[in-house]
């Protein structure tokens, strides 16, 4: 059943999002996360950042009551391009509206939209999404839609009950904060070098990193770079979650400087910065099968798994309308 037929049956309507919908999108996502996970770790500003980065007319769908289209959202979907070589599909349905076909209809609408876009290689668009690892119903739903399991990712966390250990830096290495207007390109290059051999990595243009510095959660004092003879060799592009938990992101070391303790040092440096700012918990996300042994590193400093997510993927074939 098409999206239009499903919505008509349920007396619902669909419209593209606008920036003015950020609060309604936040309210929906907050209801979903409170129901599924018991907390909310994002803000209205972050929802607005997401919408500002999207092709609102073509890649967003908001579902609401046909009789009250400006009221609370029933569901929403968004396509997020990754360097225009693949897409992330995100579908959220309010807990009170699940099991009525809305999510499946939105997923089909996403794929139909993608199928009309000609990929560079002609084979179709890789598209992926995330589901909870402990949710067999969600797994069956994505399998029914044709998605296959690809990878598991973990959220790990540590409670800082005392000041973290001081980092031990290799000889010749210094650490400093990111300098806006100076470090964008060298940091981009270091991140690409650090993550190019990681599973699922997609090369990003420098403009994507610049855009991150314009988001509401950007704080240059939480972005750290380790430098060797003027070159950035290790990175951490951190932020703070709305519940006051420190979030470690973009922690990487370029291949030539691995196995020298740099990842551990910049991680402990990040812990220290969060601690001095009054934060007593730090979390991060990691590939459960990281080739660099990241999970072992995080466990060695006291971090523990608190959530697991599975990435599912499929290829949406190109369907010419000509």
């Amino acid at each position: 059943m098409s999206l239009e037929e499903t919505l008509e049956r349920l007396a619902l309507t669909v419209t593209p999002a606008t920036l003015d919908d950020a609060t309604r999108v936040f309210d929906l996502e907050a209801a979903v996360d409170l129901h599924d996970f018991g907390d909310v770790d994002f803000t209205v500003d972050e929802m607005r950042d997401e919408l500002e980065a999207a092709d609102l007319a073509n890649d967003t769908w908001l579902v609401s009551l046909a009789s009250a289209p400006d009221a609370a959202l029933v569901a929403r979907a968004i396509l997020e391009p990754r360097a225009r070589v693949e897409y992330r599909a995100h579908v959220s349905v309010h807990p009170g509206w699940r099991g009525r076909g809305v999510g499946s209809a939105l997923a089909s609408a996403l794929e139909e939209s993608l199928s009309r876009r000609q990929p560079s290689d002609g084979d179709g668009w890789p598209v992926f999404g995330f589901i909870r690892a402990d949710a067999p119903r969600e797994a069956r739903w994505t399998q029914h839609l044709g998605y296959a399991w690809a990878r598991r990712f973990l959220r790990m966390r540590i409670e800082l009950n005392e000041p973290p250990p001081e980092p031990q830096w290799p000889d010749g290495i210094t650490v400093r904060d990111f300098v806006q207007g100076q470090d964008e390109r060298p940091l981009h290059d270091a991140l690409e070098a650090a993550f190019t051999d990681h599973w699922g990595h997609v090369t990003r243009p420098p403009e994507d990193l610049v855009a991150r510095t314009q988001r509401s959660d950007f704080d240059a004092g939480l972005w750290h770079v380790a430098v060797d003879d003027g070159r950035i060799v290790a990175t951490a592009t951190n932020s703070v979650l709305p519940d006051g938990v420190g979030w470690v992101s973009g922690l990487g070391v370029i291949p030539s400087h691995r196995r020298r303790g740099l990842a551990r040092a910049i991680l402990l440096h990040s812990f220290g910065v969060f601690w001095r700012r009054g934060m007593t918990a730090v979390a991060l996300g990691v590939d459960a099968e990281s080739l660099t042994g990241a999970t072992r590193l995080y466990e060695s400093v006291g971090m523990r798994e608190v959530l697991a997510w599975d990435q599912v993927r499929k290829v949406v074939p190109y369907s010419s309308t000509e």
Side-chain angles (χ1 to χ4, degrees), residues 167-175 226-229 233 257 260-262 265:
Q168 301 298 311
W169 296 99
D171 291 343
I173 303 295
T174 58
V175 65
V227 179
D228 183 6
D229 194 25
V233 296
H257 283 65
R260 296 173 57 184
L262 271 174

Side-chain angles (χ1 to χ4, degrees), residues 27-82:
D27 290 342
L28 170 65
E29 296 292 349
V32 168
D33 277 16
L34 282 172
H35 179 273
D36 292 347
F37 309 111
D39 65 3
V40 177
D41 63 1
F42 52 88
T43 66
V44 173
D45 285 340
E46 288 176 307
M47 290 296 98
R48 187 171 291 107
D49 289 339
E50 178 188 279
L51 294 177
E52 286 179 343
D55 180 345
L56 296 177
N58 298 303
D59 290 347
T60 63
W61 294 258
L62 301 185
V63 176
S64 55
L65 292 171
S67 59
D70 296 326
L73 293 176
V74 167
R76 72 119 176 185
I78 184 170
L79 276 171
E80 303 174 31
R82 297 187 73 208

Side-chain angles (χ1 to χ4, degrees), residues 53-121:
D55 180 345
L56 296 177
N58 298 303
D59 290 347
T60 63
W61 294 258
L62 301 185
V63 176
S64 55
L65 292 171
S67 59
D70 296 326
L73 293 176
V74 167
R76 72 119 176 185
I78 184 170
L79 276 171
E80 303 174 31
R82 297 187 73 208
R84 298 296 174 183
V85 298
E86 65 179 12
Y87 282 83
R88 178 186 178 186
H90 180 87
V91 176
S92 291
V93 180
H94 192 282
W97 280 87
R98 292 176 179 174
R100 307 190 202 186
V102 177
S104 296
L106 279 172
S108 296
L110 293 177
E111 293 181 16
E112 182 180 348
S113 176
L114 268 181
S115 72
R116 296 193 294 267
R117 309 176 194 189
Q118 185 170 10
S120 58
D121 61 8

Side-chain angles (χ1 to χ4, degrees), residues 4-317:
E4 290 75 16
E5 292 170 328
T6 299
L7 298 186
E8 182 178 3
R9 173 174 58 84
L10 297 171
L12 301 173
T13 189
V14 62
T15 59
T18 70
L19 295 182
D20 292 337
D21 290 311
T23 298
R24 291 205 301 159
V25 172
F26 170 83
D27 290 342
L28 170 65
E29 296 292 349
V32 168
D33 277 16
L34 282 172
H35 179 273
D36 292 347
F37 309 111
D39 65 3
V40 177
D41 63 1
F42 52 88
T43 66
V44 173
D45 285 340
E46 288 176 307
M47 290 296 98
R48 187 171 291 107
D49 289 339
E50 178 188 279
L51 294 177
E52 286 179 343
D55 180 345
L56 296 177
N58 298 303
D59 290 347
T60 63
W61 294 258
L62 301 185
V63 176
S64 55
L65 292 171
S67 59
D70 296 326
L73 293 176
V74 167
R76 72 119 176 185
I78 184 170
L79 276 171
E80 303 174 31
R82 297 187 73 208
R84 298 296 174 183
V85 298
E86 65 179 12
Y87 282 83
R88 178 186 178 186
H90 180 87
V91 176
S92 291
V93 180
H94 192 282
W97 280 87
R98 292 176 179 174
R100 307 190 202 186
V102 177
S104 296
L106 279 172
S108 296
L110 293 177
E111 293 181 16
E112 182 180 348
S113 176
L114 268 181
S115 72
R116 296 193 294 267
R117 309 176 194 189
Q118 185 170 10
S120 58
D121 61 8
D123 292 334
W125 286 107
V127 57
F128 68 93
F130 288 93
I131 60 173
R132 290 178 298 160
D134 60 347
R137 182 176 178 180
E138 291 182 18
R140 290 193 297 270
W141 176 63
T142 55
Q143 291 166 4
H144 176 73
L145 294 173
Y147 286 80
W149 182 90
R151 201 78 162 187
R152 177 157 293 183
F153 292 85
L154 309 177
R155 173 172 286 198
M156 302 183 73
R157 176 173 169 137
I158 184 173
E159 306 298 325
L160 299 177
N161 299 314
E162 59 185 8
E166 289 294 323
Q168 301 298 311
W169 296 99
D171 291 343
I173 303 295
T174 58
V175 65
R176 61 173 174 81
D177 293 342
F178 173 83
V179 178
Q180 198 165 7
Q182 167 188 295
D183 288 334
E184 285 83 353
R185 185 54 190 256
L187 176 57
H188 165 269
D189 293 347
L191 285 166
E192 287 297 321
F195 288 97
T196 189
D197 57 355
H198 286 220
W199 184 87
H201 175 72
V202 172
T203 300
R204 300 293 189 93
E207 294 76 22
D208 281 10
L209 186 135
V210 174
R212 289 182 61 193
T213 68
Q214 298 167 354
R215 289 176 58 93
S216 59
D217 61 353
F218 170 70
D219 182 338
L222 295 176
W223 282 29
H224 315 304
V225 294
V227 179
D228 183 6
D229 194 25
R231 182 187 183 191
I232 295 176
V233 296
T235 64
T237 55
N238 306 329
S239 59
V240 180
L241 299 178
D243 56 2
V245 173
W247 181 255
V248 174
S249 178
L251 192 150
V253 180
I254 67 173
S256 63
H257 283 65
R258 290 176 183 168
R259 303 191 183 282
R260 296 173 57 184
L262 271 174
R264 183 184 186 91
I266 203 164
L267 177 62
L268 291 176
H269 177 79
S270 299
F271 286 179
V273 173
F274 286 131
W275 173 264
R276 289 188 289 275
R277 289 195 178 198
M279 289 165 233
T280 57
V282 180
L284 52 74
V286 61
D287 178 357
E289 301 176 49
S290 168
L291 295 177
T292 59
T295 52
R296 294 191 298 275
L297 165 65
Y298 302 148
E299 289 171 345
S300 75
V301 298
M303 304 193 82
R304 295 292 178 263
E305 176 188 338
V306 292
L307 282 175
W309 302 85
D310 285 338
Q311 186 182 124
V312 294
R313 301 179 72 93
K314 72 182 293 185
V315 175
V316 175

